[in-house]
Amino acid sequence: MIALKILGILLFDTTAWHGIALAVLLIAGYWGMFKKSGVDPRWSLVPCVRDYMFSRCAGREPEGRVLFITNVIMLVMDLILTIVDVQIEEGQASNLALALSALAFVLLIVRVVYHIRICSGIIQMYHAKGWWMWLWLFITGLPAVIWGFNPKYQPEIQAEDLTRMSLDTISGVSVAGMKDGLTVNLEERTAKEFFQKKYLLRDIHMYIKPGHMVLLLGGSGAGKTTFLNAVNGYEKAKAKVTLNGGDIYSEYKKMQYEIGFVPQQELMRGKDTVYRTLTDASRLRLPRDISSKDRKARVEEVMRIFGLTPVRGNLVEKLSGGQKKRLSIALEFISNPSLFILDEPDSGLDGVMARELMEQLRMIADQGKIIIVITHTPDRVIDLFDDVIVLAKDSNRTGRLAFFGSIEEARSFFGKQTMEQIVMTINRQEEGGEGRADEFITKYAEVQHA
Amino acid sequence: MRNKQEAGIQSERLVHIRHRGRGPQVIIYLGKLLRMFLYQNDWKVLPMAAIIAALVSMVIKKDFFLTMEGELKGAFALACVAIWNGCFNSIQVICRERNILKREHRAGLHISSYIAAHMIYQALLCLVQSGITIYVLIIMGVKIPLSDGLITFSTALDLTITVFLVSFASDMLSLLISAIAHSTTTAMTIMPFVLIFQLVFSGGIFNLPAWSEEISHYTISSYGLKCFAAQSDYNNSPMVTLWNTLVKMKGSEIGGTYTVGQVLNLLEDKDNHMMDELRSREINATFTVGELWDVLTSSQTVIGLLEKPIDASMTVGEILASLRTDANFASFRELNLGFATVGELLNSLDEELEGSDLKDLEIGRDFTLRDVLDLLKVEDGVNTYRDTTLGRSFTLGELIDAIITNPDIQARRDQPFTLKITVGQLIDLVGEDNLREYIQTKTAQISHVDAYEKNVENVVNYWLVFILFAMIYALLSVIVLEFIDKDRR
């Protein structure tokens, strides 16, 4: 009898006959819906996983993860309680049963909330009316069967297959490592997402000369920040990245001081003074054998370069937006890095201030440094850049290199005059773009291969 | 060309460049944290500690270091204060600057240095808070001894060290939460659960079910409470709850209607071990013949009896014979006066009067019992034996046996009687001082807890546990930030 109960719980999450009937209805409905969304329908037979797959059909994968974990815990507890039930009759394990019951109640609340979220997603996905929610909440199997087998109900988009590789076309080239400059040979950058491997970046190869200021272009979610993190070695990819002959990955501890990464936000302690902030940065970033006098001189020099001397005693939080940006850059510049990476340094600045900042970066590049900049308003300062990197999401939402070269070559390659037009060309149609990313990724791969 | 040369030189020099290691980084961050103390209003935790201590002192000052209950209450309150202070010191410190930390880690910061700097800074903060807490308690009137310390020269200093260690361990626990949480909102949401968990599973105040007692071994509050209780000498303090309750109930009337049989059953119960002690209690019931005579002659009942004319016309000899032989006077004859029984006295009197005219003297209506006594010169006899001691010491057990073997009493088993007495009367009957001492000592003995025993070994062990807790939490913080959360930091 217990074996039957356990089997019932494993297959249908319940042992009651009416519950099993509803579960069978749900499985049948999921089967049809999974097929429509491009998910393997056999997943509908697997308890817990079927709800996760359903969340992907609804475009609510993060909620699905929580629901999956909740379901697994509840399933395990259900099984334990089924066994413990017998023992209770013999007067044992009642405390365990009580504790599990209390936990099950908490999890039930979580399950209901996340189920509502996922149902709301599936309703949006099928462009259905709001009242369907009541059916989805109380007799899930019924709407599942209707939506699964009635051709009238179709999902807006297919569920994303996280396991799929990116666009098949790859350049197949590798850039030779140089003694100077930055060489990037990135095969892939993946991330584990809920036991699945997700491709974030793939097939990016380039060589950037010293003294070049490079614009990094790409639509939202193209993987610009991921690419920069992979280049500076903080989040490692399957790649070989060398800077002036040194391998950033294998010699990261030494090379990290040669790379300055300026994040988008001003990540500094607002309650510290400008001078103290820079002094601490110098003590952290400069070599330890440098004399105190030289270190202080470097701090003064950097303050002078970035126009921070008049506000040296001010608290960081009291600075203007432009001053904060400059201080943020100064923190990285203090160690005189060879590679300078800036993530939207001009965000929040007006045109004049943004131009001034970019000119300052140009000056730094002219000292033989490599500057890579992400900006969403590139055209007003495009004359200051030497090269452009264009990243695009391919049809499988993997970040790919759509172009790397000079500004003029980029205009010619995409047949567009402005950088903003280039971004629009590669952006997906649902994002308001032309959706030609795959075309240019393939074209550039062929160019590289040739 | 110049750029290429510069880059080449730079690449070469990288091999030889060394940056500041973990130790110097700790100093850099310690300086940063101390500045934050001033500018970021972290100093506010110090007056907050004083306010909390003042509030708590109002609750505990009455009986902390005086009674068992007061010590348990005070120990719990002090543990709560220390945990509260510690938790609030660091709950936001990492999560509020998570992105800054990420940036600095990218620039070469060692996570271990960062955590070590926090440990030192938080230790200083906790130390000052602990000093403030104990100082405020003392000036608010909590009777913490300034001398006679168990570990140091002063109990107050011992307590300060314990408050510091409990605070520091809690501080490190909060630091771990702050390292795990990705935002201050998340950290502050977790915080109440941690506090409630610590308070509920402290194990001293709340009675935990047996299966959950094991959990209390993993809470800082449990060891905190034990350590404070041990330092305040819980086991050697009186327990006053029961006595105070009895005193409050002094006016309450107790009693009811019982039968003689119920009382006899109680007295006859051999399995009632409480009776053993009662039975062995000795009662000294000696008195002199003079005292007995004075009591008798001053009693109005006896005076009335003595003055009452005797109805029957009998000779003295007949009266004596009646007293010596009549079954009704059997128990009277057995009455032991210490030097002889009443029967023996009557026999010797009978022998004295043998052949005397007095024996044949007829006592009629004109006589009273006093006349008889005068004739017999009883008063002269009493005066002769006035200082002779009568009676003897006997145990309550003998008295109880006399009661339960008395056929008259046994015959009245079903006779009901009503007992009405107030708690106050009962206390007065037993003796207030005796009863208070007895109740307080007995209840304190029953409430003895080995873990609260005041000795150096216990306290030092608890201190080591706090240090161990703090180290584990700090290490876990490093692990969380260094490995587990690396990609998402």
Side-chain angles (χ1 to χ4, degrees), chain A residues 95 180 229 234 244 255-258 261 267 269 271-272 280 283 285-288 328 332 338 367, chain B residues 4 6 10-11 14 18-20 25 28 32 35 39 97 99-100 103-107 211 487 489:
Chain A
N95 283 330
D180 55 351
N229 280 334
Y234 193 66
N244 297 333
M255 298 293 291
Q256 67 181 151
Y257 299 98
E258 288 299 302
F261 184 91
L267 301 176
R269 292 179 180 83
K271 297 286 185 185
D272 217 350
D280 282 348
R283 291 167 74 191
R285 289 169 169 83
L286 290 176
R288 70 177 176 192
S328 184
E332 302 299 329
S338 310
Q367 293 168 17
Chain B
K4 281 185 182 179
E6 271 185 9
Q10 217 164 28
S11 178
L14 281 180
R18 294 181 74 84
H19 288 81
R20 280 180 166 73
Q25 283 191 2
I28 295 172
K32 207 182 274 285
R35 288 200 299 281
Y39 294 120
E97 57 174 36
N99 289 326
I100 298 173
R103 182 182 186 177
E104 288 171 344
H105 183 241
R106 190 177 284 191
W211 62 271
D487 268 354
R489 195 184 311 119

Short mmCIF file of all heavy atoms in Angstrom, two decimals, chain A residues 95 180 229 234 244 255-258 261 267 269 271-272 280 283 285-288 328 332 338 367, chain B residues 4 6 10-11 14 18-20 25 28 32 35 39 97 99-100 103-107 211 487 489:
data_model
loop_
_atom_site.label_atom_id
_atom_site.label_comp_id
_atom_site.label_asym_id
_atom_site.label_seq_id
_atom_site.Cartn_x
_atom_site.Cartn_y
_atom_site.Cartn_z
N ASN A 95 6.93 14.35 16.02
CA ASN A 95 7.59 15.65 15.96
C ASN A 95 8.12 15.94 14.57
O ASN A 95 7.98 17.05 14.07
CB ASN A 95 8.76 15.69 16.96
CG ASN A 95 8.25 15.89 18.37
OD1 ASN A 95 7.22 16.53 18.55
ND2 ASN A 95 8.94 15.34 19.32
N ASP A 180 53.19 43.36 -27.92
CA ASP A 180 52.56 44.56 -27.37
C ASP A 180 51.08 44.58 -27.79
O ASP A 180 50.68 43.84 -28.68
CB ASP A 180 53.27 45.83 -27.85
CG ASP A 180 53.35 45.90 -29.37
OD1 ASP A 180 52.99 44.88 -30.00
OD2 ASP A 180 53.74 46.94 -29.91
N ASN A 229 34.46 41.87 -19.01
CA ASN A 229 34.87 41.10 -17.82
C ASN A 229 35.74 39.91 -18.22
O ASN A 229 36.64 39.51 -17.49
CB ASN A 229 33.65 40.60 -17.05
CG ASN A 229 33.06 41.69 -16.17
OD1 ASN A 229 33.77 42.60 -15.76
ND2 ASN A 229 31.77 41.62 -15.92
N TYR A 234 38.56 39.00 -15.01
CA TYR A 234 37.84 38.86 -13.74
C TYR A 234 36.84 37.71 -13.78
O TYR A 234 36.67 36.98 -12.82
CB TYR A 234 37.13 40.17 -13.40
CG TYR A 234 36.64 40.23 -11.98
CD1 TYR A 234 37.54 40.24 -10.93
CD2 TYR A 234 35.29 40.25 -11.70
CE1 TYR A 234 37.11 40.29 -9.64
CE2 TYR A 234 34.85 40.29 -10.39
CZ TYR A 234 35.76 40.31 -9.36
OH TYR A 234 35.33 40.35 -8.08
N ASN A 244 50.32 43.03 -23.88
CA ASN A 244 51.77 43.30 -24.00
C ASN A 244 52.58 42.02 -23.76
O ASN A 244 53.59 42.04 -23.06
CB ASN A 244 52.19 44.38 -23.03
CG ASN A 244 51.51 45.70 -23.33
OD1 ASN A 244 51.14 45.97 -24.49
ND2 ASN A 244 51.30 46.52 -22.32
N MET A 255 48.94 40.68 -13.60
CA MET A 255 48.42 41.50 -14.70
C MET A 255 47.27 42.40 -14.27
O MET A 255 46.97 43.39 -14.94
CB MET A 255 47.94 40.60 -15.85
CG MET A 255 49.01 39.73 -16.48
SD MET A 255 50.26 40.68 -17.36
CE MET A 255 49.35 41.31 -18.75
N GLN A 256 46.60 42.05 -13.18
CA GLN A 256 45.40 42.80 -12.82
C GLN A 256 45.69 44.29 -12.56
O GLN A 256 44.83 45.12 -12.74
CB GLN A 256 44.69 42.17 -11.61
CG GLN A 256 45.45 42.26 -10.33
CD GLN A 256 44.72 41.59 -9.17
OE1 GLN A 256 45.32 41.10 -8.26
NE2 GLN A 256 43.41 41.54 -9.22
N TYR A 257 46.94 44.56 -12.18
CA TYR A 257 47.29 45.97 -11.93
C TYR A 257 47.54 46.73 -13.24
O TYR A 257 47.65 47.94 -13.24
CB TYR A 257 48.53 46.04 -11.03
CG TYR A 257 48.27 45.40 -9.69
CD1 TYR A 257 48.67 44.10 -9.43
CD2 TYR A 257 47.60 46.10 -8.69
CE1 TYR A 257 48.42 43.50 -8.20
CE2 TYR A 257 47.35 45.50 -7.46
CZ TYR A 257 47.77 44.21 -7.22
OH TYR A 257 47.50 43.61 -6.02
N GLU A 258 47.66 45.98 -14.35
CA GLU A 258 47.89 46.59 -15.66
C GLU A 258 46.57 46.92 -16.35
O GLU A 258 46.56 47.46 -17.45
CB GLU A 258 48.70 45.62 -16.55
CG GLU A 258 50.15 45.49 -16.13
CD GLU A 258 50.88 46.82 -16.21
OE1 GLU A 258 50.92 47.42 -17.29
OE2 GLU A 258 51.38 47.28 -15.15
N PHE A 261 39.64 49.00 -14.81
CA PHE A 261 38.23 48.82 -15.23
C PHE A 261 37.38 49.86 -14.50
O PHE A 261 37.29 49.84 -13.27
CB PHE A 261 37.75 47.41 -14.91
CG PHE A 261 36.36 47.14 -15.40
CD1 PHE A 261 36.14 46.61 -16.67
CD2 PHE A 261 35.25 47.44 -14.62
CE1 PHE A 261 34.86 46.36 -17.14
CE2 PHE A 261 33.96 47.20 -15.08
CZ PHE A 261 33.76 46.66 -16.34
N LEU A 267 31.39 53.58 -8.22
CA LEU A 267 31.46 52.70 -7.05
C LEU A 267 32.57 53.16 -6.11
O LEU A 267 33.69 52.66 -6.13
CB LEU A 267 31.69 51.26 -7.52
CG LEU A 267 30.62 50.71 -8.45
CD1 LEU A 267 30.98 49.32 -8.93
CD2 LEU A 267 29.26 50.69 -7.76
N ARG A 269 33.16 55.03 -1.98
CA ARG A 269 32.50 55.32 -0.70
C ARG A 269 32.24 56.82 -0.59
O ARG A 269 33.18 57.62 -0.56
CB ARG A 269 33.37 54.83 0.46
CG ARG A 269 33.46 53.32 0.50
CD ARG A 269 34.34 52.81 1.62
NE ARG A 269 34.36 51.36 1.59
CZ ARG A 269 35.15 50.63 0.81
NH1 ARG A 269 35.98 51.23 -0.02
NH2 ARG A 269 35.09 49.31 0.83
N LYS A 271 31.28 58.66 1.78
CA LYS A 271 31.62 59.37 3.03
C LYS A 271 33.12 59.54 3.21
O LYS A 271 33.55 59.95 4.29
CB LYS A 271 31.04 58.61 4.23
CG LYS A 271 29.53 58.51 4.24
CD LYS A 271 28.90 59.82 4.61
CE LYS A 271 27.39 59.67 4.73
NZ LYS A 271 26.74 60.96 4.97
N ASP A 272 33.91 59.20 2.19
CA ASP A 272 35.35 59.40 2.28
C ASP A 272 35.72 60.63 1.46
O ASP A 272 34.99 61.01 0.54
CB ASP A 272 36.07 58.15 1.76
CG ASP A 272 37.32 57.86 2.55
OD1 ASP A 272 37.72 58.72 3.36
OD2 ASP A 272 37.90 56.78 2.36
N ASP A 280 44.15 55.76 -0.72
CA ASP A 280 43.93 54.32 -0.49
C ASP A 280 44.08 53.54 -1.78
O ASP A 280 44.65 52.44 -1.80
CB ASP A 280 42.53 54.09 0.10
CG ASP A 280 42.49 54.43 1.58
OD1 ASP A 280 43.57 54.60 2.18
OD2 ASP A 280 41.38 54.52 2.15
N ARG A 283 47.71 53.13 -2.55
CA ARG A 283 48.36 52.13 -1.69
C ARG A 283 48.00 50.71 -2.11
O ARG A 283 48.77 49.77 -1.95
CB ARG A 283 47.97 52.36 -0.23
CG ARG A 283 48.58 53.66 0.30
CD ARG A 283 47.97 54.05 1.61
NE ARG A 283 48.43 53.22 2.71
CZ ARG A 283 47.87 53.23 3.91
NH1 ARG A 283 46.83 54.00 4.15
NH2 ARG A 283 48.34 52.46 4.87
N ARG A 285 46.95 49.86 -5.31
CA ARG A 285 47.26 49.56 -6.71
C ARG A 285 48.73 49.74 -7.08
O ARG A 285 49.20 49.12 -8.03
CB ARG A 285 46.39 50.43 -7.62
CG ARG A 285 44.93 50.05 -7.64
CD ARG A 285 44.11 51.13 -8.34
NE ARG A 285 42.75 50.73 -8.61
CZ ARG A 285 41.75 50.79 -7.75
NH1 ARG A 285 41.98 51.19 -6.52
NH2 ARG A 285 40.53 50.42 -8.10
N LEU A 286 49.42 50.64 -6.38
CA LEU A 286 50.82 50.88 -6.75
C LEU A 286 51.73 49.84 -6.11
O LEU A 286 51.41 49.29 -5.05
CB LEU A 286 51.23 52.29 -6.31
CG LEU A 286 50.59 53.44 -7.09
CD1 LEU A 286 51.00 54.78 -6.50
CD2 LEU A 286 50.97 53.38 -8.57
N PRO A 287 52.89 49.58 -6.74
CA PRO A 287 53.81 48.59 -6.17
C PRO A 287 54.22 48.96 -4.76
O PRO A 287 54.30 50.14 -4.41
CB PRO A 287 55.02 48.65 -7.12
CG PRO A 287 54.49 49.23 -8.39
CD PRO A 287 53.37 50.14 -8.01
N ARG A 288 54.54 47.95 -3.96
CA ARG A 288 54.79 48.22 -2.54
C ARG A 288 56.16 48.85 -2.29
O ARG A 288 56.39 49.45 -1.25
CB ARG A 288 54.65 46.95 -1.72
CG ARG A 288 55.71 45.91 -1.93
CD ARG A 288 55.47 44.73 -1.01
NE ARG A 288 56.44 43.68 -1.26
CZ ARG A 288 56.34 42.47 -0.78
NH1 ARG A 288 55.29 42.15 -0.06
NH2 ARG A 288 57.26 41.57 -1.03
N SER A 328 36.31 58.45 -10.44
CA SER A 328 36.21 57.02 -10.68
C SER A 328 37.28 56.57 -11.69
O SER A 328 37.90 55.51 -11.51
CB SER A 328 34.80 56.69 -11.21
OG SER A 328 34.63 55.32 -11.35
N GLU A 332 41.44 54.28 -11.22
CA GLU A 332 42.05 53.23 -12.04
C GLU A 332 43.33 53.74 -12.70
O GLU A 332 44.28 52.99 -12.89
CB GLU A 332 41.06 52.75 -13.11
CG GLU A 332 39.76 52.20 -12.58
CD GLU A 332 39.94 50.99 -11.69
OE1 GLU A 332 40.88 50.22 -11.93
OE2 GLU A 332 39.14 50.81 -10.75
N SER A 338 48.02 49.66 -18.61
CA SER A 338 48.21 49.63 -20.06
C SER A 338 46.88 49.52 -20.77
O SER A 338 46.72 49.96 -21.90
CB SER A 338 49.05 48.41 -20.46
OG SER A 338 50.20 48.36 -19.69
N GLN A 367 49.08 58.29 -24.82
CA GLN A 367 50.29 57.94 -24.05
C GLN A 367 50.69 56.48 -24.24
O GLN A 367 51.53 55.94 -23.52
CB GLN A 367 50.05 58.21 -22.56
CG GLN A 367 49.90 59.68 -22.23
CD GLN A 367 49.38 59.89 -20.81
OE1 GLN A 367 49.43 58.99 -19.98
NE2 GLN A 367 48.85 61.08 -20.56
N LYS B 4 55.46 51.26 -28.45
CA LYS B 4 55.80 49.83 -28.45
C LYS B 4 56.93 49.55 -27.46
O LYS B 4 56.91 48.58 -26.72
CB LYS B 4 56.22 49.40 -29.85
CG LYS B 4 55.05 49.15 -30.79
CD LYS B 4 55.53 48.61 -32.10
CE LYS B 4 54.34 48.42 -33.06
NZ LYS B 4 54.76 47.92 -34.36
N GLU B 6 57.71 51.32 -24.85
CA GLU B 6 57.16 51.49 -23.49
C GLU B 6 56.41 50.24 -23.04
O GLU B 6 56.59 49.76 -21.92
CB GLU B 6 56.20 52.68 -23.43
CG GLU B 6 56.90 53.98 -23.11
CD GLU B 6 55.91 55.11 -22.94
OE1 GLU B 6 54.69 54.85 -22.92
OE2 GLU B 6 56.37 56.26 -22.86
N GLN B 10 57.14 47.71 -20.03
CA GLN B 10 56.09 47.47 -19.03
C GLN B 10 55.89 45.97 -18.79
O GLN B 10 55.78 45.52 -17.66
CB GLN B 10 54.79 48.08 -19.54
CG GLN B 10 53.97 48.69 -18.46
CD GLN B 10 52.92 49.59 -19.01
OE1 GLN B 10 52.46 49.42 -20.13
NE2 GLN B 10 52.53 50.56 -18.25
N SER B 11 55.84 45.23 -19.91
CA SER B 11 55.65 43.79 -19.80
C SER B 11 56.78 43.14 -19.01
O SER B 11 56.55 42.26 -18.18
CB SER B 11 55.57 43.18 -21.21
OG SER B 11 55.44 41.82 -21.13
N LEU B 14 56.56 43.79 -15.18
CA LEU B 14 55.46 43.13 -14.47
C LEU B 14 55.94 41.96 -13.62
O LEU B 14 55.43 41.70 -12.54
CB LEU B 14 54.42 42.61 -15.47
CG LEU B 14 53.46 43.63 -16.06
CD1 LEU B 14 52.52 42.94 -17.01
CD2 LEU B 14 52.69 44.31 -14.95
N ARG B 18 55.87 43.85 -7.15
CA ARG B 18 55.07 43.22 -6.08
C ARG B 18 54.20 44.28 -5.45
O ARG B 18 54.64 45.39 -5.20
CB ARG B 18 56.00 42.59 -5.03
CG ARG B 18 56.81 41.44 -5.60
CD ARG B 18 57.69 40.85 -4.52
NE ARG B 18 56.92 40.07 -3.58
CZ ARG B 18 56.59 38.80 -3.79
NH1 ARG B 18 56.94 38.20 -4.89
NH2 ARG B 18 55.90 38.14 -2.89
N HIS B 19 52.98 43.90 -5.18
CA HIS B 19 52.04 44.84 -4.57
C HIS B 19 51.84 44.49 -3.11
O HIS B 19 52.33 43.48 -2.62
CB HIS B 19 50.73 44.83 -5.35
CG HIS B 19 50.84 45.48 -6.68
ND1 HIS B 19 51.36 44.82 -7.77
CD2 HIS B 19 50.54 46.72 -7.12
CE1 HIS B 19 51.36 45.62 -8.82
NE2 HIS B 19 50.87 46.79 -8.45
N ARG B 20 51.10 45.35 -2.47
CA ARG B 20 50.91 45.16 -1.03
C ARG B 20 50.19 43.85 -0.74
O ARG B 20 49.18 43.54 -1.38
CB ARG B 20 50.13 46.33 -0.43
CG ARG B 20 51.02 47.52 -0.19
CD ARG B 20 50.26 48.67 0.40
NE ARG B 20 51.20 49.66 0.92
CZ ARG B 20 51.93 50.45 0.15
NH1 ARG B 20 51.82 50.37 -1.16
NH2 ARG B 20 52.77 51.32 0.68
N GLN B 25 47.27 45.47 3.46
CA GLN B 25 45.89 45.77 3.01
C GLN B 25 44.92 45.86 4.19
O GLN B 25 43.98 46.65 4.18
CB GLN B 25 45.41 44.69 2.03
CG GLN B 25 46.01 44.84 0.65
CD GLN B 25 45.34 43.96 -0.38
OE1 GLN B 25 44.39 43.24 -0.08
NE2 GLN B 25 45.83 44.02 -1.60
N ILE B 28 45.24 49.29 5.46
CA ILE B 28 44.57 50.26 4.58
C ILE B 28 43.07 50.27 4.88
O ILE B 28 42.45 51.32 5.06
CB ILE B 28 44.79 49.89 3.09
CG1 ILE B 28 46.27 50.00 2.71
CG2 ILE B 28 43.94 50.78 2.18
CD1 ILE B 28 46.60 49.48 1.32
N LYS B 32 40.33 52.96 6.53
CA LYS B 32 39.11 53.33 5.80
C LYS B 32 37.89 53.15 6.70
O LYS B 32 37.02 54.03 6.77
CB LYS B 32 39.00 52.42 4.58
CG LYS B 32 38.25 53.00 3.41
CD LYS B 32 38.16 52.00 2.30
CE LYS B 32 39.33 51.97 1.36
NZ LYS B 32 39.36 53.08 0.43
N ARG B 35 37.59 55.79 9.36
CA ARG B 35 37.06 57.05 8.80
C ARG B 35 35.55 56.95 8.60
O ARG B 35 34.81 57.88 8.85
CB ARG B 35 37.75 57.38 7.48
CG ARG B 35 39.19 57.83 7.63
CD ARG B 35 39.64 58.58 6.39
NE ARG B 35 39.59 57.78 5.20
CZ ARG B 35 40.49 56.88 4.82
NH1 ARG B 35 41.53 56.65 5.58
NH2 ARG B 35 40.36 56.20 3.71
N TYR B 39 32.53 59.45 9.58
CA TYR B 39 31.75 60.15 8.55
C TYR B 39 30.44 59.45 8.21
O TYR B 39 29.49 60.07 7.78
CB TYR B 39 32.58 60.32 7.28
CG TYR B 39 33.77 61.22 7.47
CD1 TYR B 39 35.07 60.76 7.26
CD2 TYR B 39 33.61 62.54 7.87
CE1 TYR B 39 36.16 61.57 7.44
CE2 TYR B 39 34.70 63.37 8.05
CZ TYR B 39 35.98 62.88 7.84
OH TYR B 39 37.05 63.70 8.03
N GLU B 97 28.11 47.86 0.41
CA GLU B 97 29.20 48.27 -0.47
C GLU B 97 29.67 47.09 -1.32
O GLU B 97 30.85 46.97 -1.65
CB GLU B 97 30.36 48.88 0.33
CG GLU B 97 30.93 47.97 1.40
CD GLU B 97 32.16 48.58 2.07
OE1 GLU B 97 32.20 49.80 2.24
OE2 GLU B 97 33.08 47.81 2.38
N ASN B 99 29.16 46.30 -4.45
CA ASN B 99 29.72 46.62 -5.76
C ASN B 99 31.07 47.30 -5.64
O ASN B 99 31.95 47.11 -6.48
CB ASN B 99 28.74 47.52 -6.54
CG ASN B 99 27.52 46.74 -6.97
OD1 ASN B 99 27.61 45.55 -7.28
ND2 ASN B 99 26.36 47.38 -6.96
N ILE B 100 31.23 48.08 -4.57
CA ILE B 100 32.54 48.71 -4.33
C ILE B 100 33.58 47.63 -4.04
O ILE B 100 34.69 47.67 -4.54
CB ILE B 100 32.45 49.71 -3.14
CG1 ILE B 100 31.46 50.83 -3.49
CG2 ILE B 100 33.81 50.28 -2.81
CD1 ILE B 100 31.15 51.77 -2.34
N ARG B 103 34.66 45.99 -7.17
CA ARG B 103 35.60 46.82 -7.91
C ARG B 103 36.99 46.74 -7.28
O ARG B 103 37.99 46.63 -7.97
CB ARG B 103 35.11 48.28 -7.91
CG ARG B 103 36.01 49.17 -8.70
CD ARG B 103 35.56 50.60 -8.68
NE ARG B 103 36.43 51.36 -9.60
CZ ARG B 103 36.27 52.62 -9.86
NH1 ARG B 103 35.31 53.31 -9.31
NH2 ARG B 103 37.09 53.23 -10.70
N GLU B 104 37.01 46.82 -5.94
CA GLU B 104 38.31 46.81 -5.27
C GLU B 104 38.98 45.45 -5.33
O GLU B 104 40.21 45.36 -5.39
CB GLU B 104 38.13 47.30 -3.83
CG GLU B 104 37.86 48.79 -3.80
CD GLU B 104 37.45 49.34 -2.45
OE1 GLU B 104 37.08 48.54 -1.58
OE2 GLU B 104 37.48 50.56 -2.28
N HIS B 105 38.16 44.41 -5.32
CA HIS B 105 38.72 43.06 -5.46
C HIS B 105 39.37 42.92 -6.83
O HIS B 105 40.42 42.30 -6.99
CB HIS B 105 37.60 42.03 -5.28
CG HIS B 105 38.08 40.62 -5.33
ND1 HIS B 105 37.65 39.72 -6.26
CD2 HIS B 105 38.98 39.95 -4.56
CE1 HIS B 105 38.25 38.56 -6.07
NE2 HIS B 105 39.05 38.67 -5.03
N ARG B 106 38.72 43.53 -7.80
CA ARG B 106 39.23 43.52 -9.16
C ARG B 106 40.57 44.28 -9.22
O ARG B 106 41.43 43.98 -10.03
CB ARG B 106 38.19 44.20 -10.05
CG ARG B 106 38.44 44.09 -11.51
CD ARG B 106 37.31 44.73 -12.25
NE ARG B 106 36.13 43.88 -12.26
CZ ARG B 106 35.08 44.09 -13.02
NH1 ARG B 106 35.03 45.13 -13.81
NH2 ARG B 106 34.04 43.28 -13.00
N ALA B 107 40.70 45.27 -8.33
CA ALA B 107 41.93 46.08 -8.33
C ALA B 107 43.00 45.50 -7.42
O ALA B 107 44.01 46.14 -7.16
CB ALA B 107 41.59 47.50 -7.89
N TRP B 211 13.46 17.34 21.59
CA TRP B 211 14.09 17.13 20.28
C TRP B 211 14.79 18.39 19.77
O TRP B 211 15.70 18.32 18.97
CB TRP B 211 13.06 16.66 19.25
CG TRP B 211 11.94 17.64 18.98
CD1 TRP B 211 10.75 17.72 19.63
CD2 TRP B 211 11.91 18.68 18.00
NE1 TRP B 211 10.00 18.74 19.14
CE2 TRP B 211 10.68 19.35 18.12
CE3 TRP B 211 12.81 19.12 17.01
CZ2 TRP B 211 10.31 20.41 17.32
CZ3 TRP B 211 12.43 20.19 16.22
CH2 TRP B 211 11.20 20.82 16.37
N ASP B 487 31.29 34.80 -9.13
CA ASP B 487 30.77 35.37 -10.38
C ASP B 487 29.72 36.44 -10.15
O ASP B 487 29.58 37.35 -10.94
CB ASP B 487 30.16 34.27 -11.24
CG ASP B 487 31.21 33.71 -12.19
OD1 ASP B 487 32.32 34.25 -12.24
OD2 ASP B 487 30.91 32.75 -12.87
N ARG B 489 29.42 38.38 -7.43
CA ARG B 489 29.75 39.38 -6.44
C ARG B 489 29.59 40.80 -6.98
O ARG B 489 29.88 41.05 -8.11
CB ARG B 489 31.18 39.19 -5.95
CG ARG B 489 31.47 39.93 -4.69
CD ARG B 489 32.91 39.80 -4.29
NE ARG B 489 33.36 38.43 -4.32
CZ ARG B 489 34.34 38.03 -5.11
NH1 ARG B 489 34.91 38.85 -5.93
NH2 ARG B 489 34.73 36.78 -5.08
#
